[in-house]
Amino acid sequence: MNRISWDKYFMAQSELLALRSTCTRLAVGATIVRDKRIIAGGYNGSIAGGVHCIDEGCYVIDNHCVRTIHAEMNALLQCAKFGVATEGADIYVTHFPCLQCCKAVIQAGIKTVYYANDYKNHPYAVELFKQAGISMIQVISKEVILDAKQEEKQLFVQSLVSMLKKTTDKKEMKIIEEKAEELFLMETSKTSSF
């Protein structure tokens, strides 16, 4: 079994955090990491104990939901609240940071911004990141889906593939095996279980 890369692992954490978002306009998650250790996480939502967009709708002014605290800000504020230094850390965000979050990330001393999706990438935010010497790296990865029946499904597909081997020609069988391996994020190899 191949392990996912650190970048994909931390981005998966951000994708998981985004599932907690309470803003209906866009679900965003952010994970702050230092020395390959998660030090904080955040998602976009309302203030603690406040009304949420999912309950009463977004409060939009100038095309921005002002009810929502962005994921990056929530993660940075979590560090501030608990006295965790952000200098030299990295941040993994499901979407490219807005201009305001960009400035907060710079001021917090973050050294690298990893993002999964382009989202209204503001040219001035890009310029500010460059001025501050902050790397911007897009992490392309398949969405991570947590599935309690993953192993059971894999065993079932393995048994189906084994049965098909008896009646299917080699060329067609190779296509089926490759598709099964792709579905279960396995590398094609001689030691394949299919």
Side-chain angles (χ1 to χ4, degrees), residues 12-165:
Q13 297 295 319
S14 294
E15 289 168 0
L16 190 59
L17 282 161
L19 296 175
R20 291 281 306 152
S21 173
T22 61
C23 186
T24 57
R25 291 169 57 110
L26 184 67
V28 179
T31 305
I32 300 177
V33 175
R34 188 177 40 247
D35 299 325
K36 298 203 180 339
R37 299 290 180 263
I38 296 170
I39 60 173
Y43 53 88
N44 55 334
S46 302
I47 61 167
V51 174
H52 295 282
C53 299
I54 57 173
D55 299 324
E56 293 189 12
C58 291
Y59 184 8
V60 179
I61 298 176
D62 295 330
N63 204 31
H64 295 285
C65 179
V66 295
R67 185 185 316 275
T68 300
I69 301 166
H70 290 189
E72 302 93 325
M73 291 296 263
N74 267 327
L76 291 169
L77 290 169
Q78 187 179 72
C79 287
K81 185 175 183 175
F82 295 106
V84 178
T86 55
E87 183 72 35
D90 301 320
I91 190 165
Y92 290 79
V93 191
T94 57
H95 296 77
F96 192 86
C98 73
L99 184 55
Q100 297 306 317
C101 287
C102 158
K103 292 188 276 186
V105 163
I106 291 168
Q107 290 303 96
I110 300 292
K111 66 178 181 179
T112 308
V113 174
Y114 295 90
Y115 65 98
N117 301 293
D118 287 313
Y119 183 73
K120 301 179 182 179
N121 301 24
H122 198 288
Y124 189 52
V126 172
E127 182 183 327
L128 287 175
F129 280 144
K130 287 179 181 175
Q131 282 179 18
I134 294 174
S135 300
M136 298 161 281
I137 301 171
Q138 189 168 22
V139 177
I140 308 291
S141 67
K142 291 182 180 181
E143 182 178 312
V144 175
I145 299 171
L146 303 176
D147 185 355
K149 295 191 177 247
Q150 172 79 10
E151 190 174 333
E152 183 181 340
K153 289 176 184 178
Q154 187 173 354
L155 290 172
F156 178 71
V157 170
Q158 285 175 344
S159 67
L160 289 176
V161 169
S162 293
M163 288 176 6
L164 283 171
K165 281 183 180 179

Side-chain angles (χ1 to χ4, degrees), residues 168-182:
T168 309
D169 69 65
K170 287 182 181 184
K171 186 177 179 183
E172 212 173 331
M173 198 62 229
K174 184 174 183 191
I175 294 168
I176 292 169
E177 287 177 325
E178 287 173 356
K179 182 62 179 175
E181 289 171 353
E182 181 184 319

